[in-house]
Amino acid sequence: MSWGTELWDQYDNLALHTQKGIDFLDKYGSFVRDRCAIELEYASKLRRLVKNYQPKKKEEEDYEYTSWQAFRNVLKEIGDLAGQREIVAETLQAKVIHGISLLSKNLRDDRKKCLTEGATLTHTLATQIAALERAKRNYDKSYRDAEKSIENYQKADADLNLSRAEVEKHKHNMTMKCQQSDDSKNEYANQLQKSNNLQRTHYETSLPEVFNRLQEIDEKRTKGIKEFIKSAADAESSVAPIIARCLEGIVKASESIDEKEDSLKVIERYKSGFTPPADIPFEDLSKVDAESSNYSSQNNLGINNMTQKGTMGANKLKKRVGIFGIFGSNKNTLSTDGMKEDFSDLPPNQRRKKLMAKIQEIQQKITQETAAYDGLVKMKGVYEANTMLGDPTTVDAQLNESGSRLEKLKSELKKFKMYLDAANNAQMMQHSPQTHRNMYNGQRSSRHSNGSGENEDGEDNPDDAGSLSSSASPESGLGTSHTSLPGSGHGSANDNNHPEDMYYEAELLQPLGTCKALYPFDATSEGSIPMAEGEELQVIELDQGDGWTRVRRMCGSNGWEEGFVPTSYIESTLYA
């Protein structure tokens, strides 16, 4: 269907319709522009939201938990979502809004040209119709004048009273009027023919062409809106897979949360490494001796120095480090975070974590510095091979500085490894089966100690670390060979009839049964002894809940060796 044939007489309505269509196109452009503003504002607010909830530096340690890590991954995915909304806005701006503006301008220009041409054609036709109307009026007037002149001539010719001259005058007037009527008729006929031809061309060719161009303009506008709406949808759908992956990432982040793992990390983060305090022994005041009172005062002081969280206080911890650690006498400087260089003011477990992290950091620095040093060496070799590239002596200063930094880092690494070894030794001593058993049996531990409450500086040491340190010595009789009789070839390291050794020999425990080793065991902890698979030993003390059983190995006619072995490694048979 064509506007030129179907709407030949609807010029004004078509002009109004095309104007409304272009205005609608501009309205849709304003809609897309406002949507772009919303998309950009949404993306901006999402980015601001992500920025506001990014982890602070002081919260970095908390992000080792799976829930916190999942939240950080959610923030990352939300940031990606914001980026996709920005892409949507940019695509709408570049493809839709710009296209609408350009199309609207072109359509307005084309419509203006068409309407101008249509107005010209209409004006031309109207001018011709006006000329036809004038010719028709002239012809009508001339025709009436001619008829009147004919009538006058007939009357004059019939009137006998008129002279011949007057009759001729009327005849001449009639002839002139008839000629004018004929001329007007011919002019009218000519104008009518021209008007009909122009009108036919106007309504069949010229104006339909204008209307058809207007139809093309309107269809182009309609098709443009169709493409722009589709482009807007394509801009959304193009980022939909990425948005879907972002949402999948958020779901995956939620699934990565493991409450059990977080609970274990809480234990790992806050575990001090100290063991719970042993049971407070009953003090029989009727049988008080100096040795038991000494133990009681040590035990009470040890308990009083425990904090409410079950770990020892700072002052207590410093003394323990001084006793257990090799570097207790070093003057540790404080680091930037207020802690000692060797982290001796932290609980054992936390100290080991800090030291391992520090060692890892130093090792990374050493790797970087080594790479830089090797690069400088290669550069110097290139300069020596081709002096045109540079002076080798200029690299020497940098090599010296890099070597100095490398040596310093290696020295720090060695120092912190020594700190870590000391911390591991202290941890091993504290968690050895002998130490556990001594905490369960405080009197036996004090009996096997050196009986002194003074440290090496001669000061009173209320710390229970003194008893732990001395009980781990060969004098305790655990993990070393002894004889039950003085003078035996397998005697203890102190065979000078020491009162404590004599007392210990007198209190030699009777076996409670026998046991058979199910698996081989290598003694790695203080107070434990090795055993071979299938070996038979004597059970001296049963497992008191710490996972260790005290056993005795007979090493000849009179020699013996005692220590702890894992309860799960043996099969015990107790005497009735």
Side-chain angles (χ1 to χ4, degrees):
M1 303 294 287
S2 172
W3 286 9
T5 56
E6 302 296 331
L7 303 175
W8 61 272
D9 58 344
Q10 300 295 322
Y11 177 85
D12 294 335
N13 288 332
L14 290 179
L16 181 62
H17 172 75
T18 52
Q19 180 61 44
K20 287 183 178 180
I22 295 176
D23 291 341
F24 175 72
L25 177 65
D26 292 337
K27 183 177 181 180
Y28 178 71
S30 300
F31 164 76
V32 178
R33 193 175 293 106
D34 292 341
R35 183 188 170 187
C36 282
I38 292 174
E39 293 284 357
L40 290 175
E41 183 181 6
Y42 177 55
S44 175
K45 289 186 176 181
L46 281 181
R47 291 197 179 279
R48 191 179 306 114
L49 177 68
V50 171
K51 181 179 179 182
N52 292 339
Y53 282 88
Q54 281 296 329
K56 305 297 186 297
K57 189 172 183 180
K58 61 181 180 180
E59 299 175 346
E60 283 296 333
E61 291 185 358
D62 294 329
Y63 276 83
E64 65 182 0
Y65 304 118
T66 58
S67 56
W68 292 57
Q69 291 175 0
F71 178 63
R72 181 160 53 185
N73 292 334
V74 168
L75 291 179
K76 179 179 177 299
E77 299 297 343
I78 295 298
D80 292 342
L81 281 175
Q84 300 312 308
R85 304 321 306 179
E86 290 174 346
I87 291 176
V88 171
E90 291 172 359
T91 304
L92 293 177
Q93 181 71 35
K95 292 185 177 181
V96 179
I97 297 178
H98 180 70
I100 288 175
S101 300
L102 186 61
L103 178 62
S104 177
K105 182 178 182 302
N106 293 335
L107 292 180
R108 288 182 184 277
D109 293 341
D110 293 343
R111 176 182 175 275
K112 184 177 181 180
K113 290 179 181 178
C114 289
L115 293 180
T116 301
E117 184 178 353
T120 302
L121 292 174
T122 303
H123 178 71
T124 301
L125 179 60
T127 303
Q128 181 60 42
I129 295 298
L132 176 61
E133 290 294 332
R134 288 194 300 272
K136 183 179 180 181
R137 287 195 300 269
N138 290 334
Y139 170 61
D140 183 59
K141 182 176 181 298
S142 298
Y143 179 75
R144 288 195 302 268
D145 291 343
E147 285 186 343
K148 187 176 181 181
S149 64
I150 291 174
E151 183 181 354
N152 290 333
Y153 170 70
Q154 290 175 351
K155 288 181 180 181
D157 187 46
D159 190 358
L160 298 176
N161 296 324
L162 293 177
S163 63
R164 191 70 184 171
E166 290 180 351
V167 173
E168 287 296 328
K169 181 177 178 181
H170 283 288
K171 182 179 179 181
H172 182 267
N173 186 35
M174 179 191 69
T175 303
M176 184 181 64
K177 293 295 181 181
C178 288
Q179 183 64 39
Q180 288 179 352
S181 176
D182 290 340
D183 292 341
S184 297
K185 182 180 179 180
N186 291 333
E187 179 65 20
Y188 170 66
N190 290 334
Q191 291 296 331
L192 181 61
Q193 185 178 3
K194 286 180 62 178
S195 297
N196 287 332
N197 291 336
L198 182 61
Q199 181 173 274
R200 190 181 306 110
T201 303
H202 177 81
Y203 288 111
E204 292 180 1
T205 305
S206 301
L207 194 60
E209 290 179 357
V210 173
F211 285 179
N212 289 337
R213 286 203 299 272
L214 285 176
Q215 182 179 0
E216 291 176 0
I217 290 172
D218 193 69
E219 289 178 353
K220 186 177 181 181
R221 172 194 62 81
T222 306
K223 183 179 179 181
I225 293 177
K226 173 184 175 181
E227 292 177 351
F228 292 139
I229 293 177
K230 185 175 181 297
S231 298
D234 290 340
E236 186 83 20
S237 60
S238 63
V239 300
I242 303 178
I243 293 176
R245 286 199 294 271
C246 292
L247 297 177
E248 289 176 2
I250 293 175
V251 174
K252 187 176 180 180
S254 68
E255 293 174 350
S256 67
I257 298 176
D258 188 345
E259 63 276 8
K260 298 297 183 183
E261 182 180 349
D262 282 0
S263 297
L264 293 177
K265 287 184 177 179
V266 172
I267 295 174
E268 181 182 355
R269 179 174 180 181
Y270 294 110
K271 182 180 179 182
S272 66
F274 294 129
T275 55
D279 294 341
I280 301 174
F282 175 76
E283 297 183 19
D284 191 351
L285 298 179
S286 62
K287 298 179 180 180
V288 175
D289 54 16
E291 189 174 4
S292 61
S293 64
N294 182 32
Y295 166 75
S296 176
S297 62
Q298 290 179 4
N299 194 36
N300 289 336
L301 286 173
I303 295 172
N304 292 334
N305 282 331
M306 300 292 283
T307 65
Q308 291 182 354
K309 293 183 179 180
T311 59
M312 295 187 178
N315 295 331
K316 180 77 169 181
L317 180 60
K318 292 176 182 177
K319 289 188 178 182
R320 291 181 65 89
V321 173
I323 294 173
F324 284 139
I326 299 175
F327 307 97
S329 60
N330 290 348
K331 300 297 183 181
N332 287 319
T333 57
L334 295 179
S335 60
T336 55
D337 53 2
M339 290 186 292
K340 289 188 176 182
E341 183 184 34
D342 62 350
F343 305 106
S344 58
D345 50 346
L346 294 177
N349 201 59
Q350 304 301 319
R351 181 189 182 196
R352 290 177 64 253
K353 286 178 58 179
K354 287 286 187 180
L355 288 173
M356 286 189 289
K358 187 68 175 179
I359 289 174
Q360 185 177 4
E361 177 186 352
I362 295 175
Q363 287 175 342
Q364 291 177 352
K365 290 182 180 179
I366 288 177
T367 303
Q368 296 174 358
E369 194 63 40
T370 302
Y373 185 84
D374 294 342
L376 291 173
V377 171
K378 291 181 181 178
M379 183 185 297
K380 182 178 180 181
V382 171
Y383 287 173
E384 289 176 347
N386 188 356
T387 56
M388 297 295 293
L389 298 176
D391 187 4
T393 57
T394 58
V395 188
D396 291 337
Q398 300 180 19
L399 277 173
N400 293 334
E401 292 179 2
S402 179
S404 176
R405 289 193 298 267
L406 195 58
E407 290 299 326
K408 185 177 178 181
L409 289 172
K410 289 181 178 179
S411 176
E412 286 189 5
L413 180 63
K414 182 178 179 182
K415 177 175 63 175
F416 278 96
K417 282 186 176 180
M418 294 175 68
Y419 288 155
L420 181 60
D421 292 340
N424 288 335
N425 291 335
Q427 186 99 356
M428 184 178 64
M429 291 173 63
Q430 185 176 1
H431 290 281
S432 66
Q434 176 185 346
T435 306
H436 280 288
R437 191 56 56 89
N438 288 341
M439 295 184 67
Y440 283 110
N441 195 344
Q443 292 180 348
R444 183 172 299 159
S445 177
S446 64
R447 184 193 311 147
H448 294 167
S449 67
N450 57 14
S452 173
E454 297 180 359
N455 58 20
E456 58 185 10
D457 295 332
E459 298 177 353
D460 258 356
N461 186 4
D463 201 330
D464 61 341
S467 63
L468 292 176
S469 177
S470 60
S471 64
S473 67
E475 296 177 1
S476 64
L478 299 179
T480 57
S481 297
H482 292 270
T483 57
S484 58
L485 297 176
S488 173
H490 299 281
S492 67
N494 189 0
D495 261 347
N496 295 327
N497 292 330
H498 196 282
E500 292 176 5
D501 291 337
M502 294 175 64
Y503 183 75
Y504 182 74
E505 291 167 1
E507 290 291 325
L508 185 64
L509 298 176
Q510 295 298 323
L512 304 177
T514 60
C515 65
K516 182 180 180 181
L518 300 176
Y519 313 101
F521 173 68
D522 295 330
T524 56
S525 302
E526 186 73 19
S528 61
I529 61 172
M531 61 181 180
E533 183 179 356
E535 183 179 1
E536 291 190 0
L537 304 169
Q538 294 179 349
V539 177
I540 305 303
E541 284 187 42
L542 298 178
D543 188 348
Q544 298 183 7
D546 55 359
W548 297 88
T549 299
R550 185 177 177 184
V551 299
R552 179 187 297 156
R553 175 188 293 113
M554 304 308 295
C555 302
S557 59
N558 294 323
W560 52 268
E561 182 181 8
E562 289 185 3
F564 292 93
V565 295
T567 305
S568 58
Y569 279 50
I570 61 174
E571 181 180 6
S572 301
T573 303
L574 302 180
Y575 297 143

